[in-house]
Amino acid sequence: MKRHLAQSEHFEVVSEYEYVDLVIKKHSLFQSAANVYLGDFYGDPTCALISKAEKYVVIGGNGLIIYQLRPPYAAYESDTNDGQYLELGREPENTWWVESLYQAPSDQDDNYFRATVTIGDETIFVLINAVTGEHVQLPTPNTSLLP
């Protein structure tokens, strides 16, 4: 079954089972519509985010794939990487199970996004630079006030 994970003015992220595609919509920026393979996720992808400025897309599931939205729009290949994408938390000894992705309104720099990630038995919040892959753990929100 095809799932629509994220959409913006020029792009859409769709998955079918474990496989994820970027749909480049036909528009004045692009002469024709096209699909680009973005990767696969064990257990299906859980979420996706297209940055506010359409500079990158992030797909989450068992780890993250951060794909830069710029030509040549090369398809994902796990054995090669020409700088079109980054992978985080996809190693068997350090798997991130990504639950959510978002850009906070308070974030002034579009290069950053946030993720809710489970590693082992611990759920953490992470701020990630989409260009470099650098990331820092954020303080855990106080949930003791919730009913």
Side-chain angles (χ1 to χ4, degrees):
M1 174 170 63
K2 189 174 279 194
R3 294 175 52 216
H4 301 270
L5 300 174
Q7 183 168 298
S8 68
E9 183 179 356
H10 300 109
F11 303 98
E12 184 174 7
V13 180
V14 298
S15 71
E16 192 157 359
Y17 302 106
E18 297 180 342
Y19 305 99
V20 182
D21 286 320
L22 173 69
V23 178
I24 301 173
K25 300 176 184 179
K26 185 175 180 180
H27 188 271
S28 60
L29 295 177
F30 309 103
Q31 302 217 342
S32 62
N35 285 13
V36 178
Y37 174 63
L38 293 183
D40 55 88
F41 289 82
Y42 174 76
D44 297 348
T46 55
C47 50
L49 165 77
I50 300 170
S51 73
K52 296 177 211 173
E54 294 187 327
K55 292 166 52 176
Y56 59 88
V57 61
V58 185
I59 310 98
N62 70 315
L64 291 170
I65 294 177
I66 306 168
Y67 184 90
Q68 303 301 318
L69 293 173
R70 57 174 158 62
Y73 297 99
Y76 168 88
E77 293 182 42
S78 60
D79 296 338
T80 62
N81 186 348
D82 60 359
Q84 190 87 51
Y85 63 89
L86 296 169
E87 295 181 273
L88 296 173
R90 291 174 59 90
E91 306 84 20
E93 65 280 354
N94 184 34
T95 300
W96 294 9
W97 295 99
V98 182
E99 299 174 21
S100 66
L101 300 165
Y102 64 98
Q103 284 187 294
S106 60
D107 292 341
Q108 298 299 313
D109 189 339
D110 190 54
N111 288 335
Y112 289 88
F113 67 94
R114 298 164 188 244
T116 306
V117 174
T118 299
I119 304 171
D121 293 336
E122 184 181 13
T123 299
I124 62 171
F125 302 91
V126 184
L127 178 67
I128 302 168
N129 183 312
V131 176
T132 66
E134 294 175 357
H135 52 281
V136 295
Q137 183 174 341
L138 297 169
T140 303
N142 182 354
T143 57
S144 63
L145 301 175
L146 296 176

